[in-house]
Amino acid sequence: MTSYRLAGGGLINRQMPQNFTFDGRVMTGFAGDTLASALLANGRQLVGRSFKYHRPRGVLTAGSAEPNALMTIGRGGRTEPNTRATMVELYEGLEAQSQNRWPTLEHDIGAVNGLLSPFLSAGFYYKTFMWPARFWEKLYEPVIRRAAGLGRASYEADPDTYEKCWAHCDLLVIGAGATGLMAALAAGRSGLRVILIDENADLGGYLLSETALIDGRPASAFVRSAVDELESLANVQVMARITAFGWYDGQVFGAVERVQKHVAVPDAMRPVERLWRIAAKKAILATGAEERPLVFGGNDVPGVMMAGAMRSYLNRYAVAPGKRVAVFTTNDSGYALANDLEVSGVNVAALIDSRRDAAIAYSGKARLVHGGFVSNVQGSKAVEGIEIWREGQRETLDIDSLAMSGGFSPVIHLACHRGGKPRWSDEHSAFLAPDGLSDLTLAGSAAGVFGLQAAMMSGAKAAEAALADLGVAHAGVAMPLVEGEIVPEPAKPLWSIPGIKAKAFVDYQNDVHLKDLGLAVQEGYGHVELAKRYTTNGMATDQGKLSNVNAIGLLAEARRISPAEVGTTTFRPFYTPVSFGALAGASHGKHFQPVRRSPLHGWAEKNGATFVETGLWYRSAWFPRAGETGWRASVDREVKTVRSAVGLCDVSMLGKIEICGPDAAEFLNRIYCNAFLKLPVGKARYGLMLREDGFIYDDGTNSRMTEDRYFMTTTTAYAAGVMNHLEFCAQALWPELDVRLASVTDQWAQMAVAGPKSRAVLEQLVDDDISNDAFPYLGAKDVSLLGGRLRGRLFRISFSGELAFELAVPADFGESIADAVMLAGKAHGICAYGVEALSVLRIEKGHVTHNEINGTVVPADLGFGKMVSTAKPDFIGRQMVGREGLVDAMRPQLVGVVPLDPTVSFRSGAHILKKDAAATLENDEGYVTSSCFSPHVGSTIGLALVKGGASRHGEEVQIWNGLRNEFAIGRLVSPVFVDPAHEKLHV
Amino acid sequence: MKGAVLPRPAADAGADAWHDYVYLRDNPRGAYEEYWHHTSGCRRWLVVSRDTATHEVYACQDAADAKAVRA
Ligand SMILES: [Zn+2]
């Protein structure tokens, strides 16, 4: 016989039927059902297949610990696998699919894994890795991947939106059962800013499944009035469908709210989930306790259920588990279930109590078996009977469903998220929260307090303590009177059960059974952290909510020590799975990361730029023109135009930092390794910044605009890092220097105007005299533009080696000035050029970038040895740059490299080998750091860091790319391919 | 305890002092002193005393003030 809906009772709304499908079959439940209760009401007990052995599985719990009833909900982009049916509210049109079965749930070919189970035991993965690799790659891994698993994610994009919020309160109460409601009432009435959260749609926790009376009324009526009162208080925020998943630094709790997971088609104007960060001065954990399964043979057959869950389905959802039920318990909670079943007209065949001396009075009709155990369940897809073991005697009993209760484990996960270890209490037969949690208090059954009356008291007391800590007067709260409850006082735990023949599961979700744990101990993996990984116990998506304590108890017994000595594994967020959607929030698509557009972006678009992403920047890479066959054609044309006429390149993304103050000169003198103290006003200088360990950090130009004002440029990639570094030096190292720093990267649009015609072009815009006499190489000054309509900054600096200027104007004027430059340059054949041409121009000139400044080079390696001041008393890196290993003549040094045959090319990253050396890494002499095709040279050229390279110009070498099997014979040359005397800079 | 916050040696302090300053740190479980940088705010460098195990912050001081006090 299967489960079925009772004719009356329950908190479901029978006026509101809800149609849904399970594996395509249409079924009907009621509003107020969960997917699990609706399936049970429809007689559906087989709801899934297990992870490894594909065993038939049924609903085990009525809450968030569910390991078996995992479903895929929804379709298309809304497909959500591995959803716990016990936590899914039923709604009209819900589509659910069972998982891990093929072709159907009833007839699953993967169940043969059960026959292979001797090979799938604990340590399976470790052991098979020891077998030959070809076995693993060809056979085991593909087979396991197909056979073992959970649901499948959709390949379609999620159409829904998610958001993130912060909330702040005096007191956060987590869990709105008896304990949490009383805590929130006590604190709320006293005026605290309270947030009360609960993971279920309906507040009340287990009160909604209770038959005990509160103040003479059903418990659900008490819940309703308590929630009504809380919602009427302006200082209390009540939230349902929100799970606190972690406790973090600074007393911040993470929580996920399922705003619209209970509707078929969400309202597009609202998120489906919200990720909350709740900063609470105080928090009360009223998360209740988890009932422990018992580990007997066939304890996973559909129809075996936790006793408390069976009672929930019966009382709250009006679902009977079957016609003939047995209850197997170690404590008094099984009696409450037996009584309620009988009241609902369900035949209780036997109440099997593992205690010989249970003191509780029982007046029901069930046969009471004291000192008995259920050893095995008969049946595979449904319970057909049980084998009872009592004093060495076996007896079988025909039943169709079985409830079990192995006692209760307080839900303490959040209390352990900040490093505290749970402690075993013999008195409670359970692990309790760590001691010394200052602003987090546990109350009710989460604190090992059992029974409704005691839990309510405990909740109110915890609120009182929070009030006292916060210095708020307590308004007082009358304690409701609970009648007719059976208090499940902690009983002696029962780990090992005698007479087991079939597989007895410890971790349902990962298919870890009793023998696996035994094997782990036998093979030396008995330590709790090792056993976990060896058997995978507790590593499934339920994180061992039902299995961990049983595993610890069984390990303790096997090793003949106390659970206290075994200890627990580490509790980490998340308490329950959280969707990637919620964690990502709005940060996807174009909101995943910001885009930085240069002030000249519009100018570049107009000129047909192809953009390339560098960090967050979109930089113009090249500017293709009609008839050009590929990027190389465009780049070659741009390079030639700059060398022969003039080009404009956007360099706005260089880092720009303004340094001012009376001590700015002294500050910069300590920042750069070369001299800066005597840089004249109106002059720019190339500067090298070292790290304190002597290696080069960054380079760039620095211009003294006025006596106490400097304009620094950094490389694009290091702009933020250099700013941090300067601030560190100014604040932490030399606060006595009077200097101020401002990042002005975004304030200035900056353009390089380079080429022999650059002056002729700029003279049309710049009012000042910029002749070579008036404004020589390395000049830097404020200039007037367009007849005094705008002021900008002009620098006579060159990355290309040609006569060149960089013009900076306020960012908003960038595009129009660039347009004006293009217009003025038209007669001179100006072209826009991108970073690819910029790179070719600088390689031809032997200028370095972070390809060469790779964190392992000192100034001398790049030919900058003379720049390192010996006169300055101090600068960053001064001491360490002189270390023995950094002045060795055979260090890698910058050289140029060209192929002997100009038709042969090579790539960056290729190794340099001596001419006759074998191509091995042992013979490596250095590598190509930058390479390009040089229109000027007419072949590929490169810069390289080669051992002692500065003294090897002229040497023939091999250029070897072992990854691509490319060889070229080349020659080491000067790194300056263009205008080695630098005459072009000074015209 | 030798945290991240160390006085920068004099330029002529010698190789050992500099090696010690640049490379050597304690790595305790418990109280520790670090430089933090408020990058998205006031952009000040701070000296933060923090417990590396519990992340409890004991004290926080502007780096410039810290240097003045310790000098
Ligand atoms: Zn700040």
Side-chain angles (χ1 to χ4, degrees):
Chain A
M1 183 57 205
T2 61
S3 51
Y4 55 96
R5 182 87 72 186
L6 295 166
L11 299 176
I12 46 170
N13 183 350
R14 292 177 197 254
Q15 261 61 71
M16 282 185 68
Q18 315 260 290
N19 298 306
F20 68 103
T21 63
F22 176 67
D23 283 345
R25 191 177 307 174
V26 180
M27 300 182 180
T28 306
F30 295 114
D33 263 325
T34 62
L35 175 56
S37 69
L39 285 168
L40 290 169
N42 281 273
R44 194 72 223 204
Q45 285 178 295
L46 167 60
V47 296
R49 290 275 175 172
S50 73
F51 181 70
K52 202 158 78 174
Y53 303 126
H54 289 241
R55 286 173 65 102
R57 289 282 167 82
V59 176
L60 190 67
T61 73
S64 56
E66 179 61 35
N68 288 346
L70 304 181
M71 315 259 153
T72 299
I73 307 287
R75 63 160 66 182
R78 292 204 170 94
T79 303
E80 190 160 340
N82 312 329
T83 307
R84 291 152 297 155
T86 50
M87 297 303 287
V88 175
E89 290 171 61
L90 192 67
Y91 54 82
E92 180 67 34
L94 184 150
E95 293 177 45
Q97 301 276 342
S98 59
Q99 302 181 160
N100 203 29
R101 82 289 188 270
W102 189 83
T104 69
L105 190 51
E106 280 77 8
H107 304 285
D108 172 34
I109 286 171
V112 296
N113 277 11
L115 303 176
L116 298 174
S117 66
F119 302 101
L120 295 172
S121 61
F124 166 73
Y125 293 92
Y126 296 81
K127 287 168 186 166
T128 52
F129 272 123
M130 313 279 267
W131 297 344
R134 62 179 191 281
F135 277 43
W136 178 254
E137 286 159 16
K138 297 238 165 68
L139 185 61
Y140 299 111
E141 201 205 339
V143 169
I144 293 164
R145 282 213 186 281
R146 212 174 313 126
L150 297 166
R152 284 163 198 271
S154 169
Y155 283 94
E156 289 178 45
D158 186 339
D160 296 324
T161 57
Y162 298 79
E163 68 181 25
K164 295 185 184 184
C165 303
W166 276 95
H168 300 262
C169 62
D170 297 320
L171 178 68
L172 172 66
V173 180
I174 300 169
T179 309
L181 286 172
M182 283 311 294
L185 280 172
R189 285 178 192 167
S190 307
L192 282 192
R193 287 183 309 147
V194 177
I195 295 177
L196 171 65
I197 65 174
D198 194 279
E199 66 176 332
N200 293 293
D202 296 310
L203 305 192
Y206 207 74
L207 288 174
L208 303 179
S209 302
E210 263 297 340
T211 45
L213 298 178
I214 298 178
D215 286 338
R217 297 183 298 165
S220 56
F222 165 78
V223 171
R224 210 170 308 121
S225 59
V227 172
D228 283 350
E229 179 181 344
L230 288 167
E231 284 180 338
S232 76
L233 295 173
N235 53 316
V236 177
Q237 188 183 354
V238 180
M239 298 170 76
R241 302 186 175 106
I242 170 169
T243 306
F245 57 69
W247 183 31
Y248 300 95
D249 294 350
Q251 188 70 357
V252 171
F253 292 83
V256 63
E257 181 187 5
R258 289 165 296 277
V259 182
Q260 296 190 85
K261 284 304 213 184
H262 55 293
V263 294
V265 181
D267 170 2
M269 299 307 286
R270 294 192 302 141
V272 289
E273 291 186 322
R274 272 190 200 107
L275 192 84
W276 286 90
R277 277 165 286 184
I278 305 174
K281 287 181 191 157
K282 297 275 170 190
I284 294 173
L285 209 53
T287 40
E290 203 70 71
E291 199 167 18
R292 286 200 290 266
L294 289 163
V295 184
F296 49 84
N299 62 347
D300 66 329
V301 175
V304 178
M305 198 184 272
M306 301 309 309
M310 193 180 280
R311 194 161 172 244
S312 273
Y313 289 118
L314 187 76
N315 294 336
R316 178 172 175 182
Y317 302 103
V319 173
K323 291 280 189 206
R324 212 172 130 72
V325 183
V327 179
F328 176 25
T329 188
T330 63
N331 61 84
D332 291 352
S333 76
Y335 292 76
L337 170 64
N339 291 342
D340 291 352
L341 283 167
E342 212 169 289
V343 169
S344 299
V346 178
N347 177 12
V348 184
L351 177 49
I352 301 137
D353 189 331
S354 64
R355 299 169 295 184
R356 286 167 178 280
D357 50 356
I360 182 169
Y362 177 65
S363 55
K365 289 187 218 143
R367 178 181 151 211
L368 194 54
V369 183
H370 276 302
F373 307 91
V374 172
S375 299
N376 297 288
V377 170
Q378 291 151 344
S380 68
K381 290 181 195 165
V383 173
E384 290 162 13
I386 50 172
E387 207 172 79
I388 302 173
W389 176 286
R390 187 169 180 274
E391 294 179 348
Q393 303 292 312
R394 277 179 207 276
E395 129 181 38
T396 55
L397 183 69
D398 281 352
I399 56 161
D400 58 20
S401 47
L402 174 67
M404 59 179 165
S405 175
F408 292 86
S409 303
V411 177
I412 56 173
H413 299 60
L414 263 65
C416 305
H417 280 177
R418 291 173 72 184
K421 282 277 182 189
R423 57 200 162 87
W424 175 257
S425 161
D426 278 324
E427 181 199 339
H428 295 86
S429 297
F431 283 98
L432 299 181
D435 289 321
L437 306 171
S438 52
D439 293 315
L440 180 72
T441 311
L442 287 93
S445 50
V449 172
F450 288 99
L452 290 178
Q453 188 74 72
M456 287 174 143
M457 199 92 85
S458 160
K461 276 222 165 71
E464 268 178 56
L467 284 159
D469 279 356
L470 295 169
V472 177
H474 184 236
V477 54
M479 197 50 58
L481 181 70
V482 179
E483 296 166 87
E485 68 161 333
I486 291 178
V487 178
E489 296 291 353
K492 191 171 165 287
L494 172 63
W495 311 123
S496 292
I497 290 171
I500 294 175
K501 288 187 286 195
K503 275 200 180 69
F505 284 88
V506 181
D507 184 325
Y508 289 83
Q509 209 186 341
N510 262 356
D511 266 352
V512 178
H513 59 103
L514 189 56
K515 282 187 179 157
D516 292 327
L517 286 172
L519 200 59
V521 173
Q522 207 177 61
E523 297 187 346
Y525 294 89
H527 185 280
V528 64
E529 295 282 5
L530 296 178
K532 169 179 174 172
R533 283 146 186 95
Y534 201 61
T535 64
T536 72
N537 191 90
M539 291 174 71
T541 62
D542 64 354
Q543 298 212 8
K545 287 185 178 61
L546 298 179
S547 64
N548 278 349
V549 178
N550 276 338
I552 289 163
L554 288 162
L555 288 172
E557 258 183 13
R559 293 167 58 193
R560 298 193 174 80
I561 55 177
S562 147
E565 289 171 74
V566 174
T568 58
T569 54
T570 310
F571 288 97
R572 292 187 182 88
F574 302 84
Y575 173 64
T576 49
V578 176
S579 69
F580 282 113
L583 293 173
S587 305
H588 63 90
K590 68 178 178 179
H591 298 296
F592 176 65
Q593 63 178 19
V595 169
R596 288 186 87 176
R597 287 203 178 88
S598 153
L600 299 188
H601 193 84
W603 164 83
E605 274 181 333
K606 270 185 296 199
N607 285 276
T610 298
F611 290 97
V612 58
E613 284 181 57
T614 23
L616 301 178
W617 287 106
Y618 276 61
R619 302 186 68 173
S620 26
W622 60 86
F623 294 81
R625 285 187 182 171
E628 286 175 345
T629 50
W631 68 274
R632 259 284 307 283
S634 308
V635 172
D636 286 357
R637 189 238 326 134
E638 290 168 19
V639 169
K640 285 180 191 159
T641 308
V642 171
R643 294 250 179 257
S644 63
V646 58
L648 168 53
C649 182
D650 180 9
V651 292
S652 302
M653 47 291 284
L654 289 177
K656 299 185 269 306
I657 299 169
E658 204 148 296
I659 298 115
C660 54
D663 293 325
E666 172 62 26
F667 177 73
L668 290 173
N669 210 41
R670 297 184 193 182
I671 289 293
Y672 290 112
C673 71
N674 48 325
F676 261 82
L677 205 52
K678 291 181 185 137
L679 177 68
V681 172
K683 278 291 183 186
R685 181 170 290 174
Y686 176 70
L688 267 184
M689 238 178 249
L690 306 189
R691 309 189 308 216
E692 203 74 276
D693 62 7
F695 294 96
I696 303 176
Y697 179 52
D698 198 40
D699 68 345
T701 60
N702 200 321
S703 306
R704 193 169 198 170
M705 305 311 294
T706 63
E707 189 63 28
D708 59 357
R709 184 174 291 266
Y710 291 79
F711 185 77
M712 174 190 282
T713 62
T714 74
T715 60
T716 303
Y718 279 62
V722 168
M723 186 66 191
N724 294 345
H725 172 65
L726 296 185
E727 286 171 328
F728 179 80
C729 294
Q731 296 170 26
L733 298 185
W734 308 308
E736 65 279 7
L737 294 184
D738 188 353
V739 59
R740 292 289 179 273
L741 306 162
S743 167
V744 294
T745 303
D746 294 325
Q747 275 64 39
W748 293 97
Q750 195 154 322
M751 52 207 92
V753 181
K757 302 287 175 59
S758 55
R759 183 182 290 118
V761 173
L762 282 176
E763 273 172 346
Q764 300 174 55
L765 281 83
V766 179
D767 304 330
D768 303 57
D769 180 1
I770 56 170
S771 67
N772 192 41
D773 289 341
F775 191 60
Y777 181 54
L778 294 178
K781 66 187 225 172
D782 269 303
V783 291
S784 165
L785 297 163
L786 301 169
R789 281 190 284 170
L790 186 66
R791 294 203 69 81
R793 287 175 175 179
L794 192 65
F795 309 93
R796 195 162 154 205
I797 52 183
S798 174
F799 203 36
S800 58
E802 300 297 324
L803 168 68
F805 298 82
E806 286 189 16
L807 174 63
V809 295
D812 289 350
F813 293 92
E815 188 173 340
S816 54
I817 294 297
D819 289 344
V821 173
M822 294 301 281
L823 196 63
K826 201 165 182 183
H828 299 283
I830 195 169
C831 78
Y833 68 101
V835 288
E836 284 297 333
L838 187 78
S839 178
V840 172
L841 291 161
R842 72 93 188 166
I843 295 171
E844 288 181 336
K845 185 64 186 175
H847 281 152
V848 296
T849 64
H850 277 283
N851 285 16
E852 288 74 35
I853 304 175
N854 60 13
T856 71
V857 298
V858 294
D861 301 339
L862 301 181
F864 295 142
K866 291 211 175 73
M867 282 179 73
V868 180
S869 167
T870 49
K872 291 201 284 188
D874 193 10
F875 58 85
I876 297 285
R878 184 187 200 282
Q879 223 287 336
M880 288 218 159
V881 75
R883 282 184 288 170
E884 195 181 343
L886 302 186
V887 296
D888 184 350
M890 286 313 285
R891 284 183 59 76
Q893 291 166 339
L894 185 73
V895 288
V897 55
V898 290
L900 292 191
D901 176 354
T903 63
V904 173
S905 69
F906 56 85
R907 300 168 205 261
S908 303
H911 291 271
I912 302 291
L913 308 171
K914 280 187 177 149
K915 195 184 174 192
D916 301 319
T920 66
L921 288 178
E922 287 74 25
N923 292 333
D924 177 46
E925 296 277 305
Y927 75 102
V928 177
T929 53
S930 301
S931 67
C932 68
F933 176 80
S934 164
H936 178 79
V937 177
S939 76
T940 295
I941 60 169
L943 299 177
L945 288 166
V946 176
K947 280 180 194 166
S951 55
R952 292 170 67 174
H953 294 182
E955 182 180 330
E956 281 185 23
V957 293
Q958 299 178 78
I959 309 166
W960 169 51
N961 183 334
L963 285 177
R964 295 174 185 266
N965 223 14
E966 292 170 348
F967 265 100
I969 302 296
R971 177 177 285 120
L972 302 183
V973 294
S974 157
V976 184
F977 297 89
V978 163
D979 185 23
H982 307 300
E983 284 161 352
K984 292 175 163 198
L985 299 174
H986 298 279
V987 293
Chain B
M1 181 272 307
K2 193 168 150 225
V5 181
L6 300 173
R8 188 171 181 270
D12 57 0
D16 289 347
W18 276 94
H19 179 80
D20 198 54
Y21 169 69
V22 172
Y23 293 114
L24 302 183
R25 299 288 183 278
D26 286 339
N27 184 20
R29 178 187 166 89
Y32 196 59
E33 211 170 53
E34 299 166 319
Y35 279 122
W36 286 30
H37 190 199
H38 193 187
T39 52
S40 298
C42 62
R43 298 209 55 98
R44 294 299 297 179
W45 281 87
L46 308 166
V47 174
V48 175
S49 307
R50 183 180 71 92
D51 188 308
T52 58
T54 65
H55 297 178
E56 189 181 342
V57 171
Y58 303 122
C60 177
Q61 196 177 20
D62 189 282
D65 298 339
K67 196 201 173 200
V69 169
R70 288 159 207 226

